[in-house]
Amino acid sequence: MAGDPDAYLGLDRCPTSPNNSYVDFDDSGHLAVEMSEDNPTEEGGQGVNSDSFTWFDDVFQICNQGKQPVSVWIEAEASEEADKYFDSDNYGEYGPVTFYLGDDDEEILSEDNPQLLQVGECLCVGIRVVTKGLKEGQQLVDDDEIVIHADADQELATGPVTNQTQGTTHDDVHDAIDAAKDNDTIKVYEDQSGLVEVDKQLNIVGVGMPTLEDGVNITADNVRVSSFNILDSGDALWAEFAVRLEPGVSGITIEDNSIESDWYAIADESSAQTTSDVTIENNDIFGTAESGVQVVYINGEQSGPPSAEDAENINLIDNTIGANDLDGGLLVGLEADGGEVSGNTFDDPPTDYGHLELWGPNLEVEDNDFFGDNLGTNAFYVRNSDNTYTLSEILGANTFDPTAEVVGDDIRPE
């Protein structure tokens, strides 16, 4: 016998998540989710609110540490008192306690929607709690017990590319996208050639960091692309882009990737259409050309036609961004109104231009690390091209090496 973290189906806290503090282990090594006065938060919280909906993303982790793929889903039978008040018409069909995939509360881990875990693969689980009609002290789950099902015999799709939602197998990602419906999850297990055209609302996930050799072109809203090596192609359509965003798309998430390009690693194009609600998070982003590239660029009013407006709510979070030699190029340019640039590392490629240029208002720029030993004369860490930022505040909210000073509309090395 082994404790839950070391068993064939490993159960442990979700790494790095602030919500993993709700997880504890009993004397036998069994995982427990404890949201009560016995496990208060640092601020003194002792449980969920009554008569409420509460979501806890990324609480615990399930890992397949066995010898064969398994399909996983979670069951929690409602207590008699919780079931009495639960209104499925208004609160959803899955009960007072629902388990979902990571931070996506629409991807329910139910018997009708199991998730395939390959050997060595892990997933984090979030929890939704509905306490409508309940009072303090009443239980949600019968006997405080949940059951995690891991079935090696269930016939789920396996292959080079799978649609986890539809339960189908495909020869390549292009066929999978053609056959998919909006909101499907596609998993990719092997390297893919040819430009990946994403024209539906899809969640496309790499398993084991496969390579998309010829880039990604996103033309639909509400697309997530994660866990790939993504390269551009010198002979494909949109060859200058590793990840191209169609102008005007919204609800895009690019996360946990390694992205390289001779020109644009991630960018849209100048247009009258307004790109919005884009999150670029936890990627390694690199420009490989030795010329004036722009590694990440989101267009807006400055570059577009007279009717163009700034992009909206653009978020660049926890990325490492670098290049071989920018020459006269730029690491990041944002013509955006709103969003955040936080937690990023701006690496130190040689450049005579700069690292971060702000062309739109209301971006929060904080907790970034800027390195500038190779910045040329008059090159900048940050340029206030929008003239709406107080550069002294940005100077104080980020770290700069070598140390920096405000010079006109720039933050530059001293």
Side-chain angles (χ1 to χ4, degrees):
M1 297 290 289
D4 280 352
D6 301 316
Y8 295 134
L9 190 70
L11 305 177
D12 208 341
R13 297 177 176 91
C14 184
T16 73
S17 170
N19 288 332
N20 68 20
S21 62
Y22 296 114
V23 173
D24 203 356
F25 296 90
D26 65 20
D27 293 339
S28 299
H30 296 149
L31 180 141
V33 178
E34 189 73 54
M35 298 176 181
S36 71
E37 60 187 12
D38 294 329
N39 184 29
T41 66
E42 291 183 1
E43 302 301 323
Q46 298 183 9
V48 296
N49 296 77
S50 61
D51 199 40
S52 67
F53 295 84
T54 311
W55 289 261
F56 301 89
D57 293 343
D58 296 317
V59 178
F60 63 92
Q61 175 179 261
I62 304 173
C63 293
N64 183 359
Q65 299 172 164
K67 295 184 177 181
Q68 56 188 321
V70 294
S71 59
V72 174
W73 61 282
I74 303 176
E75 182 180 16
E77 186 174 348
S79 68
E80 183 177 348
E81 52 205 7
D83 192 50
K84 176 181 177 181
Y85 291 104
F86 189 79
D87 181 353
S88 59
D89 290 337
N90 292 317
Y91 307 153
E93 61 181 295
Y94 294 107
V97 178
T98 303
F99 298 89
Y100 55 88
L101 190 60
D103 59 0
D104 184 358
D105 65 344
E106 295 184 357
E107 192 70 39
I108 307 300
L109 290 168
S110 67
E111 185 174 11
D112 294 331
N113 188 44
Q115 290 294 312
L116 180 67
L117 276 183
Q118 299 286 349
V119 174
E121 188 178 3
C122 300
L123 61 83
C124 282
V125 177
I127 304 173
R128 187 193 80 158
V129 177
V130 180
T131 59
K132 301 300 260 182
L134 294 181
K135 299 177 181 178
E136 181 181 351
Q138 292 182 314
Q139 287 184 315
L140 283 164
V141 177
D142 191 36
D143 292 330
D144 284 337
E145 192 172 87
I146 66 173
V147 178
I148 300 175
H149 299 263
D151 189 352
D153 297 322
Q154 184 168 353
E155 294 185 3
L156 285 180
T158 59
V161 181
T162 63
N163 185 317
Q164 295 296 112
T165 309
Q166 304 297 329
T168 53
T169 300
H170 302 272
D171 292 335
D172 57 47
V173 69
H174 313 289
D175 289 344
I177 292 172
D178 287 344
K181 299 178 181 178
D182 281 345
N183 303 314
D184 282 358
T185 292
I186 293 173
K187 287 192 174 183
V188 179
Y189 298 89
E190 298 179 2
D191 295 348
Q192 303 290 308
S193 62
L195 179 67
V196 178
E197 297 271 10
V198 187
D199 57 0
K200 299 173 184 175
Q201 300 180 26
L202 298 173
N203 177 25
I204 305 178
V205 184
V207 179
M209 294 293 290
T211 298
L212 305 180
E213 299 173 355
D214 296 304
V216 180
N217 183 32
I218 298 175
T219 60
D221 295 340
N222 302 318
V223 170
R224 176 175 175 262
V225 177
S226 64
S227 302
F228 290 98
N229 296 305
I230 305 177
L231 310 175
D232 67 3
S233 171
D235 56 6
L237 183 66
W238 311 118
E240 295 178 341
F241 299 82
V243 178
R244 175 186 178 271
L245 307 180
E246 178 79 6
V249 294
S250 178
I252 308 301
T253 299
I254 309 296
E255 63 181 352
D256 301 330
N257 303 286
S258 175
I259 304 172
E260 292 188 3
S261 176
D262 280 345
W263 194 254
Y264 295 111
I266 305 174
D268 62 356
E269 297 173 278
S270 59
S271 169
Q273 303 297 315
T274 301
T275 300
S276 63
D277 299 325
V278 175
T279 297
I280 301 167
E281 185 168 4
N282 198 36
N283 303 281
D284 289 326
I285 306 171
F286 197 81
T288 57
E290 295 184 358
S291 61
V293 303
Q294 297 168 326
V295 181
V296 178
Y297 203 94
I298 303 297
N299 288 273
E301 181 178 355
Q302 175 64 28
S303 299
S307 60
E309 298 180 353
D310 282 332
E312 298 175 354
N313 189 31
I314 306 300
N315 301 284
L316 193 69
I317 303 169
D318 295 338
N319 303 281
T320 298
I321 309 164
N324 281 333
D325 187 345
L326 283 171
D327 192 12
L330 176 70
L331 279 180
V332 177
L334 299 177
E335 300 178 20
D337 184 349
E340 64 176 292
V341 180
S342 66
N344 302 286
T345 297
F346 289 82
D347 220 339
D348 193 21
T351 179
D352 294 324
Y353 193 68
H355 284 176
L356 173 63
E357 187 166 18
L358 304 174
W359 283 101
N362 303 314
L363 283 158
E364 296 183 10
V365 182
E366 59 186 9
D367 299 325
N368 301 285
D369 295 323
F370 292 86
F371 295 92
D373 280 326
N374 290 312
L375 282 173
T377 303
N378 297 326
F380 56 84
Y381 288 120
V382 181
R383 173 162 288 177
N384 177 21
S385 293
D386 190 63
N387 296 315
T388 60
Y389 293 93
T390 303
L391 289 180
S392 60
E393 294 179 358
I394 294 178
L395 182 64
N398 300 271
T399 61
F400 300 88
D401 183 11
T403 56
E405 62 181 348
V406 175
V407 180
D409 290 327
D410 292 349
I411 297 176
R412 300 180 187 173
E414 289 184 335

